[in-house]
Each structure stands twice: as C-alpha cells, then as structure tokens.
Amino acid sequence: MRAAAIFLVVSLAAIAAAWWWLGRPIAMPPSPLQAGAKLDCVSYTPFRRGQTPLDENIVASPAEIDADFKLLASVTDCVRTYAVDEGLDQVPRIAKAHGLKVVLGLWIGRDPAKNALQIERGIALANAYHDTVRLLVVGNETLLRGEISPASLGAILQTVRSRVAVPVTYADVWEFWQQNAALAKDIDVITIHILPYWENEPVAAADAAAHVAAIYGRMKEEFPGKPIMIGETGWPSQGRMRAGARPSPANEARVLGDTVAWARRAHVAVNYIEAFDQPWKRVLEGTAGGFWGLFDAGHEAPKFDWGKPVSDHPHWPLEAIGGCLLALAAFAAAALGRRTASLPPRRWAAVAAIAVVGGVPLGLAVEYWLFGARNAGEDFEAAIAIGVAVALPVAAAAAVARQDGPAHFSRLLGGAPALRRLSWWLALLAALLTVEAMAYALGLVFDPRYRGFPASTLAGGTFALLMVVLPDWRVRGGAAERCAAAVLAVAAVAIVVVEGWPINTEAVAYAVTILILAGTLAGAPVGRGRRATG
C-alpha cells in the first residue's frame, strides 16, 4: 500500500496546487478614480434573487430602493432606470433624498396601451422632479428588438419632447443609431450602447476600452454637433466565452477600470451597466446576462475594489477541498474494489490520474451550474450532471483496480443480476455522460448564442472512462456507442468552426473533451477481466 499512499499524497497536492493557481488574485491597474471620486452613472434595477420584472406582480418596495440608493450614493452620482412601473416610479423621489440624479427610462414596446401608461407617468415624473431627472430616455433598444417602427418611435419622441423641460433621448446599440440617423432630429442627446462582449465580432477584455473609445469617436463624426452619451457599457463576470471575449470577475474589473480611466481623460459621459447583478436576465440572455453588476445579486457586497487584485475563484479553498474529497473517494473505491491484496504501481498511477482529472474540474462544474441554472428543471439537470461527475471517476477507479470495464449500452436493460455488476453501473454512468455531452453539443451547434461550454462537467468522467478503456482499446463499439461517437465527433468540428478557432479557448476545450469521449466510445467499452462481457 506504500505506492497507493504516495500516489494519493501526490494527487491531493496536485489538486490543491491547481486550485491555488486558479484562485490566485490577479493584479489590476491602479484605480481610475481619485479619492472621493464617483462614477458618472450606473444602470439600476431593484430586483433581488428570485424576483423578475417579467412577473408584473412583483413591485419593488420603497424601503428596498432606499437601501440600494444609500449604498449606491457612495459609488455614483446618478442612476439610470428603464421603466416607471413595478415600483420604479418611486425612484426620483428617493434618489433626490440621497442626492442622486436620475436618467429616467420609459419602457416602450409592442403594446400601445402600456406605452401610453409609461409615457404619461414618465412625463409627470420628469416635470415633478425636473431638478433630479437629468435625462428622459424614451425607449431602450426598441428598434433592436423590432418592436416598433422608426416612424412611430419618432412620433413618440416628438410628443414627449414637447411636454417636458428636461432633455429627451432614445437609447440603442450604436449600429442602430447609424441605421436610423433621422431620429437625431427628434431628441436632444444621442444615447448609444457600446458593449464589446455582445458585439457581432466580440472584443477581448484587453481591447474593450479601446473599442469603446473608437466607436464613440466614430459616432461623434457621424453626428457632429449633437451631444452623445454612452448609455451602456460594461463587462460580465460570468457566462460563456464569445470568440476571444471571456467573462470573469477579473476581466470585469479590468474592463470597467480601463473604460473609466479613458472616460475621465476624454471627458465623456458614461453610464455603466450595472449596479447589481440581475440573475433574471439569464432567461433572456444566458448566464452572461445576469452578471454585469458592480455588486452581487444580494445588493450587499461589491464584486471588486478598484485597483486591487481580483480572484476569479474567491472560494477556491472550498473547491480544492471538494476535489480532494473526490480523490479520496476514488482511492478508497480502488482499494475496496481490487481483486488482489496489492496493485502494481501503474494501476495506482491510473487511479491517481483519474482522481486529479476528476477532482480539479469538479469545482468549476459546480460554479458552472451554480451561476447558470435558471429553474427547477435546470437544477435537476445540474444535480444529475454533478452526480455523474462525482460517481463516474469513483466507479472508474474501482474498475481500473479490478481490470473491469463498462458493459455495452445495450446491456443496460438487463435483468436484476446485472445490477450487482460494476460493469453495469459503469455503463449507466457512461450513458448518462454521453447523453449530457450530446445534448450540450447539439445545442451549441444549432442554437449557440446563449449556451455555455460545460467542459468542466464532462472532463472528469470522460477522462476516467478513457483510463478504463485505454488498456484494451480498439474500434469495436456497440451500435449505440458508435452512433454517439459519430455525432460527438461531427459536433466537435462544427463547434470550433462556429465559435472561432482557436481564440475561443472554452469552445476548444469542450470540443477536445467530446472528441476524447467519442474516441472512448468508439473503442468499445466492454467488460474486461473475468467478466469479459459485462
């Protein structure tokens, strides 16, 4: 057992070292804000975890808004809102009490009756709090969503502008202002959104501030003499990678810091999106949509401090512990499952490899689902995925010790005696892993925009299965395995082509993972050793 102890210690050390490296604080540039300085403006939506404006019965309470503004008044001079219903009509009054200005938004959509309510209430608030409302935003990305014609929007803008004393604007992504330049005559200020992460050609975090500056300069040239405000810019801390644009806490801090520094130098008015994380947006925009906040969804803790190092995995010690527990379980399964009193070092080395490759990504898989799961169905999916990510390496470690392997998928419908065999349970876990991989892969091929790359969910199980099959690998898989392998192989190629080889490293990692799984399945995972057919 000396070899087992040595390999176990090495495995635990490798997992701990990997998580120390993943969680290490990343240095940031100096703070762009001088002592006491604040951001120009931040987007504000009051909804907490479990709340969504898509539920019209949800109404933000004045007490919640007041608590938010007490916090925000320490970091900004202004808040931007997007509607005047669901309790947001209280914003100007409460903002005034905290010395905050308001960029007041009216939500304009498809429903003329709802539009009329927004318009009338917004006009009343703008006139009643004209010393607090800095700007009235009539519609947010309404043209982008295709919910109204430019002509109809222009008529609304003219009407509102004639009835208020504060400046009026319309907000949309910069390309839609280029396409609808005629609307400039109907507003006082052009409000553009520049979101490097969401661009049709996504921009990496290191280049995001330069991109914002370049687009702003282009818009100044196209609309000479017209005031231009950047109504939204920022970066997500979680979500899927788009080309070279990767969400992370450190990248969010870097992009915001770089952008604030540029805006201060260039004397450009900027509204940053957003004050608080809004997990409800994941329904519309995937994981990335919910995590653009300066503060987390609990409306309490800032996600970073300007100029200070930022960890992308601040809870890494817990994740390291979780990975080490999986490694311990794998070694225990091998020790209990072996057929002989001792195992040769090469098998303990295989168990160690399974333990490390299973233990390191386990924490990443938990993060993926913790941030991404949006409803009870996805919570159930997460439980199955994490369960397989834990159980398959443990079962594979026992199989390596026993020189056993999974049965063909076709044997899963066998009778009661099969339930007592490790090969049957290994096949079941492999089948679940394969179904997961195929479902994610096909989604990424046919509907990729808001889907993530769950390589971490599949990596440990895939590698564990490979270590079981590899000693006796040859192309002899069953029909179900060969079919699944073909689908995964084709999907892997399609994913890297669609996502942009090789700059989208998350897509590449996922494609490599499912290619390994495809090869493993094609290598006929049949029971070996004394139970040769499972």
Side-chain angles (χ1 to χ4, degrees), residues 290-376:
F291 298 96
W292 292 68
L294 295 168
F295 296 84
D296 63 22
H299 292 217
E300 296 174 356
K303 289 157 66 175
F304 61 86
D305 293 320
W306 299 106
K308 294 183 179 180
V310 178
S311 172
D312 284 340
H313 305 282
H315 305 296
W316 70 266
L318 292 177
E319 291 166 302
I321 291 171
C324 288
L325 290 175
L326 175 57
L328 288 169
F331 273 84
L336 295 173
R338 67 190 191 278
R339 299 180 189 277
T340 59
S342 62
L343 294 177
R346 68 178 183 276
R347 288 195 207 159
W348 285 119
V351 172
I354 289 171
V356 172
V357 180
V360 171
L362 180 61
L364 297 175
V366 172
E367 284 186 11
Y368 176 88
W369 288 104
L370 182 66
F371 289 112
R374 300 170 294 185
N375 50 50

Side-chain angles (χ1 to χ4, degrees), residues 30-33 255-267 272:
S31 173
L33 297 172
V255 170
L256 286 172
D258 290 349
T259 306
V260 171
W262 164 75
R264 290 299 171 101
R265 291 194 306 269
H267 304 287
Y272 300 91

Side-chain angles (χ1 to χ4, degrees), residues 169 230 253 427:
T169 186
I230 298 177

Side-chain angles (χ1 to χ4, degrees), residues 406-414 423-424 426-435 438 465 477-482 484-485 517 521 525-526:
H408 279 135
F409 289 170
S410 60
R411 297 290 184 90
L412 290 174
L413 299 179
S423 60
W424 188 92
L426 203 54
L428 176 62
L429 293 169
L432 289 172
L433 182 76
T434 301
V435 170
M438 290 177 64
L465 195 61
E481 287 88 348
R482 291 197 302 271
L517 180 57
L521 294 173
V526 299

Side-chain angles (χ1 to χ4, degrees), residues 63 182 222 251 253 283 307 318 469:
E222 295 188 16
N251 279 345
V283 176
L318 292 177
V469 173

Side-chain angles (χ1 to χ4, degrees), residues 80 104-109 115-116 118-120 122-123 126 135-143 148-172 176-177 180-191 223 226:
R80 177 188 170 185
L104 186 68
L106 313 184
W107 190 261
I108 303 298
N115 290 347
Q118 289 279 321
I119 291 167
E120 292 303 319
I123 289 172
L135 188 65
L136 189 60
V137 186
V138 183
N140 181 73
E141 297 185 353
T142 311
L143 297 178
I148 196 170
S149 70
S152 297
L153 178 60
I156 292 173
L157 289 167
Q158 292 171 20
T159 298
V160 173
R161 195 180 183 196
S162 68
R163 296 177 59 190
V164 297
V166 301
V168 171
T169 186
Y170 166 69
D172 213 323
F176 273 76
W177 267 111
N180 299 278
L183 286 175
K185 70 180 187 305
D186 300 321
I187 48 88
D188 300 292
V189 177
I190 293 174
T191 300
F223 295 92
K226 202 77 172 181

